[in-house]
Amino acid sequence: MIYTAHLNLEDNNFSGTLPVILRNLTNLEHLLLKGNRLSGNLPTEIAAMTRLKVGDFGENNMTGTITSALGNLTQLEILDLSYNLFNGPLPNEMSNMISLKELWLDNNNISDTVPTEFGRLVNLGTFSLDTNFIEGEIPQEVCKLREEVLIYFTTDCSTTDVKCQTPDCCSRCF
């Protein structure tokens, strides 16, 4: 068993896919991989990292759909997947990340609607979703978070494809 708690490999110009060996880092609390040239999917093996509090995978070349395995990371407080090439819908299982305070998904190719279940993310203070292909109305359950804890919520709500149900739902529209 490996007892590493913090792994910071930001801005190292690493390339290739994330190794599945990460599943062995079960005590890891901070995994910082921002600003590399990582590609491929976010592996489902990440689900084994149940103590993870910060996962920063931003500014890479990661592709595919966002894995539903993230829903197992109930202690995760910050997740940054921004500036990648993720596509497809947001998995409903992400709403199980009940400790989440910051969710950075901007600048990807994410499509479909924001799941109603995201209204269960009652600790979410930042939700950045702009520069994607989100459609439909932002669920009232998510807008309600703006009344309680959600301070910063960005999406492409200035387009005709996304509608905020109340004018105060989005803090910044693109």
Side-chain angles (χ1 to χ4, degrees):
M1 182 173 278
I2 299 173
Y3 292 98
T4 302
H6 301 273
L7 184 58
N8 185 345
L9 299 172
E10 291 181 335
D11 300 315
N12 278 295
N13 210 25
F14 290 135
S15 60
T17 59
L18 285 176
V20 292
I21 191 97
L22 289 176
R23 70 173 175 253
N24 294 337
L25 300 175
T26 56
N27 290 311
L28 199 63
E29 294 179 7
H30 294 86
L31 178 57
L32 309 175
L33 297 170
K34 185 177 204 151
N36 285 290
R37 293 182 301 132
L38 298 172
S39 58
N41 294 330
L42 192 61
T44 57
E45 287 81 9
I46 197 168
M49 303 169 80
T50 56
R51 293 185 182 181
L52 196 65
K53 292 182 180 178
V54 178
D56 191 345
F57 305 92
E59 299 176 25
N60 280 290
N61 297 312
M62 299 183 79
T63 58
T65 57
I66 297 173
T67 178
S68 61
L70 288 172
N72 292 338
L73 305 179
T74 58
Q75 294 186 35
L76 195 64
E77 296 177 3
I78 299 171
L79 178 61
D80 188 347
L81 300 176
S82 66
Y83 291 91
N84 277 288
L85 301 168
F86 290 112
N87 58 51
L90 294 169
N92 293 341
E93 292 84 357
M94 289 179 74
S95 65
N96 295 332
M97 299 186 296
I98 55 174
S99 300
L100 204 59
K101 295 177 183 176
E102 296 180 23
L103 181 56
W104 301 90
L105 300 172
D106 53 283
N107 293 280
N108 278 286
N109 296 314
I110 298 167
S111 59
D112 207 7
T113 59
V114 175
T116 301
E117 291 85 357
F118 275 37
R120 293 195 309 238
L121 299 174
V122 296
N123 294 304
L124 193 62
T126 298
F127 186 13
S128 185
L129 192 57
D130 60 90
T131 319
N132 279 291
F133 298 99
I134 300 297
E135 302 172 343
E137 290 189 15
I138 303 298
Q140 186 59 40
E141 292 82 356
V142 173
C143 291
K144 189 171 179 199
L145 293 174
R146 286 279 295 148
E147 300 170 11
E148 298 166 2
V149 294
L150 188 58
I151 297 167
Y152 184 77
F153 175 42
T154 64
T155 188
D156 298 314
C157 53
S158 61
T159 69
T160 56
D161 294 335
V162 177
K163 294 178 179 58
C164 288
Q165 293 191 7
T166 63
D168 297 334
C169 184
C170 298
S171 57
R172 186 167 180 199
C173 293
F174 290 87

